[in-house]
């Protein structure tokens, strides 16, 4: 199980990737500015995982922000370290 940061994780491709990663037992951190995506993705994920044994809310952390904000990006990485789940990899889908 890896701890992965997905930038742009609530866009079309990112949301589908999140489903696959959660089904594969990974912990994910989604960072999205919601410029080309929707906050409704969380409700859709809830519907998708409603009848499964996957509690996606335990393995999903979300941040609203822009990847160009250096201080925010640092905080995301340091918070993951502080929580005992350092980020193992980044999948960059933000435009």
């Amino acid at each position: 199980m890896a701890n992965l940061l997905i930038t742009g994780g609530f866009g079309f491709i990112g949301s589908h990737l999140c489903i696959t990663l959660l089904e594969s037992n990974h912990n994910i951190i989604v960072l999205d500015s919601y410029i080309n995506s929707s906050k409704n993705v969380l409700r859709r994920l809830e519907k998708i995982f409603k009848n499964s044994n996957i509690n996606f809310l335990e393995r999903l952390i979300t941040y609203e922000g822009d990847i160009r904000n250096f201080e925010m990006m640092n905080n995301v990485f340091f918070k993951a370290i502080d929580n005992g789940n350092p980020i193992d990899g980044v999948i960059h889908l933000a435009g």
Side-chain angles (χ1 to χ4, degrees), residues 43-94:
R43 281 185 262 151
R44 292 183 189 135
L45 288 174
E46 187 175 348
K47 286 180 183 180
I48 289 168
F49 290 110
K50 182 179 180 180
N51 295 324
S52 74
N53 61 350
I54 298 172
N55 187 350
F56 79 98
L57 290 175
E58 290 180 355
R59 298 201 337 261
L60 172 68
I61 298 171
T62 63
Y63 292 100
E64 182 173 355
D66 193 305
I67 62 170
R68 296 174 292 181
N69 183 331
F70 181 77
E71 183 178 337
M72 187 216 45
M73 290 299 295
N74 264 348
N75 288 338
V76 169
F77 279 89
F78 286 123
K79 207 173 228 185
I81 292 168
D82 290 344
N83 290 336
N85 295 312
I87 295 171
D88 297 312
V90 177
I91 301 174
H92 176 59
L93 301 173

Side-chain angles (χ1 to χ4, degrees), residues 14-24 28 45 48-49 54:
S15 61
H16 287 78
L17 177 63
C18 287
I19 292 167
T20 301
L21 292 171
L22 288 166
E23 289 174 337
S24 299
I28 58 174
L45 288 174
I48 289 168
F49 290 110
I54 298 172

